[in-house]
Amino acid sequence: MNGVTIGQAAAFVGVTIGQAAAFVGVTVKTVRHYHKLGLVKEPERDGSGYRRYGSAELLRLVQARTLAAAGVPLAEIGSLLDAGPAPFAAALADVERRLTERIEELITRRDTLRRLADGDRALLPDRAVALLERLSGLGFSADEVAAAREGWVLARALVPEGFDDYLTHVEHALDDTRFVALIKRGAEAAAWEPDDPRIAELATAIADHFLANPAQLRIVTGLQARTETAARYELIALHGEERGSAAARGVTLVEAKLRAAGIHIPGPGAR
């Protein structure tokens, strides 16, 4: 056997399935699976009752293993191995295209995971994240910023077509110190008793401010979906507020005053 390669020896006497699997770098189970799929023809038994794998079978096993490792679906490997040079090259190009698409999809998923690790950026665009940071800079508490974040995530999901415009209105409104002061006061009101008379006073002040500043009023009126308007609006407007709470009562009073002024606000009180 001196000077005879493993491949040549296999051609002469053949090797067992275990040896074939070891030579090719797969398991015996994988070899049998290839046989079952018709990727590699199962050798006939020899006089001793053993199946012996020659060089042709080993070559076919190597080819199948290589294609499978490259990401070619097993269901396609048989036809690839049986194809001529031109169809083979075209099929490989198609497999490469699909692998590239898969890689891009995985990269997108990886980036999403990284954004999740970064908190806000997984569910909100950079503009919204910047606005949340701005709220923190304006003195809003971590809980208030978190409530805004959750409300915006809902708004983006429920009324995606209006979310960019909504962010624009918020950006401009935060330049108005009077608006910021009223919103901060509204956040403080969440801790009041629901029947506190200051809630009605604050609701009037907020409604009057919106009516005097139509551009800021769009923060309230802009998030109106084309379908199931009332349901979507209420899910956003009352997110995180318990029924009967001071905050919920404040929102209801502001909406009522705006409706009384002729502003369309979705919900049970809408005309």
Side-chain angles (χ1 to χ4, degrees):
M1 293 289 291
N2 290 338
V4 179
T5 66
I6 290 176
Q8 290 170 326
F12 299 146
V13 298
V15 296
T16 65
I17 186 172
Q19 291 173 311
F23 289 166
V24 174
V26 296
T27 65
V28 170
K29 183 178 179 180
T30 297
V31 174
R32 288 188 172 130
H33 189 53
Y34 286 176
H35 289 327
K36 183 178 179 181
L37 295 177
L39 305 184
V40 180
K41 183 179 179 181
E42 194 170 20
E44 298 292 335
R45 297 184 185 276
D46 62 13
S48 302
Y50 292 101
R51 297 188 188 280
R52 295 287 177 175
Y53 291 75
S55 57
E57 289 82 15
L58 288 175
L59 175 61
R60 182 87 171 189
L61 281 171
V62 170
Q63 291 172 327
R65 179 211 64 191
T66 302
L67 289 172
V72 179
L74 292 179
E76 300 177 17
I77 288 177
S79 59
L80 271 176
L81 293 178
D82 295 332
F88 182 82
L92 284 185
D94 182 61
V95 171
E96 180 181 0
R97 176 188 59 77
R98 282 181 281 158
L99 283 175
T100 300
E101 291 175 354
R102 178 63 175 160
I103 290 169
E104 291 172 351
E105 178 187 348
L106 291 173
I107 290 173
T108 299
R109 291 185 180 182
R110 181 201 63 189
D111 291 344
T112 298
L113 289 176
R114 289 179 176 175
R115 288 171 71 91
L116 278 171
D118 193 23
D120 302 331
R121 297 182 187 278
L123 299 172
L124 291 170
D126 290 340
R127 285 182 67 197
V129 174
L131 277 175
L132 291 174
E133 294 171 352
R134 190 174 171 189
L135 289 177
S136 296
L138 288 170
F140 287 90
S141 71
D143 287 344
E144 291 161 359
V145 173
R149 177 192 306 115
E150 292 177 355
W152 292 358
V153 169
L154 272 177
R156 187 188 187 200
L158 295 174
V159 194
E161 66 275 11
F163 191 65
D164 282 342
D165 288 340
Y166 170 80
L167 292 181
T168 299
H169 302 323
V170 173
E171 286 170 346
H172 293 160
L174 290 181
D175 291 331
D176 184 341
T177 56
R178 172 65 176 162
F179 173 82
V180 173
L182 284 170
I183 299 305
K184 283 186 176 180
R185 185 67 169 161
E188 294 172 3
W192 300 348
E193 292 298 323
D195 58 354
D196 192 313
R198 293 176 296 174
I199 295 176
E201 296 172 4
L202 179 59
T204 297
I206 292 175
D208 288 346
H209 180 84
F210 277 134
L211 292 172
N213 297 273
Q216 293 177 21
L217 180 58
R218 293 174 188 166
I219 294 174
V220 180
T221 61
L223 288 176
Q224 297 187 18
R226 296 188 181 94
T227 62
E228 299 177 289
T229 304
R232 296 183 193 229
Y233 173 82
E234 288 189 6
L235 284 169
I236 297 168
L238 296 176
H239 166 70
E241 310 297 353
E242 296 181 6
R243 291 186 180 277
S245 68
R249 179 171 178 245
V251 170
T252 300
L253 287 174
V254 170
E255 291 176 346
K257 292 179 183 299
L258 293 177
R259 290 190 185 105
I263 305 301
H264 175 69
I265 305 293
R271 291 179 299 195

